[in-house]
Amino acid sequence: MDKQMLLLFADAIQRKRLIRVTFITRSGEERSRRCAPLDLSPSERAKIKFYKYHMWDLDSEPKPHLLSLNPEQVIQLEVTAESFMPEQIVTWTRKNPWTIVRDWGNLS
């Protein structure tokens, strides 16, 4: 796992900044998406618990959805100047569900 990318991702979470992530799809295509970073944690549904970058994909069609990427899929991660409001995205959480600590008010 790229430590610099992890630090950028955690910083974007802390500052509530959108990211631009460029990644390789499972089919081998390169894609770039504007996303709200959510966490770095094992996927709850996966049988083998590897850490993944979890983010809210704002560019997906027909509507935004959760995007979970293995670290080796991520080519580039850029923190943008655009902010997001977690309460407009996160509607499914349990108390303290996050691996990366943050100050998101009642969503922390």
Side-chain angles (χ1 to χ4, degrees):
M1 182 172 300
D2 184 309
K3 187 175 181 178
Q4 183 66 28
M5 208 171 294
L6 172 59
L7 292 173
L8 284 172
F9 192 79
D11 180 62
I13 288 171
Q14 297 296 327
R15 297 189 306 134
K16 301 177 197 168
R17 297 281 188 219
L18 294 180
I19 59 173
R20 168 69 56 191
V21 61
T22 304
F23 62 98
I24 300 293
T25 65
R26 288 192 179 118
S27 62
E29 298 174 56
E30 185 175 309
R31 294 223 175 110
S32 182
R33 295 280 197 262
R34 188 175 56 102
C35 299
L38 298 175
D39 208 12
L40 178 72
S41 64
S43 179
E44 290 183 8
R45 289 187 250 169
K47 290 178 182 170
I48 301 172
K49 303 292 185 184
F50 291 112
Y51 277 76
K52 293 185 175 190
Y53 288 100
H54 301 285
M55 54 203 99
W56 193 248
D57 183 350
L58 297 165
D59 291 342
S60 62
E61 295 292 335
K63 62 182 183 176
H65 66 82
L66 185 66
L67 175 64
S68 296
L69 298 172
N70 292 317
E72 56 272 5
Q73 287 180 269
V74 179
I75 298 169
Q76 183 178 6
L77 192 144
E78 175 187 350
V79 180
T80 73
E82 191 177 358
S83 61
F84 68 94
M85 296 174 63
E87 58 274 7
Q88 291 180 342
I89 297 169
V90 181
T91 59
W92 62 87
T93 66
R94 306 173 304 281
K95 183 159 179 67
N96 297 321
W98 310 115
T99 300
I100 296 177
V101 177
R102 81 270 329 269
D103 182 11
W104 282 5
N106 65 347
L107 295 174
S108 295

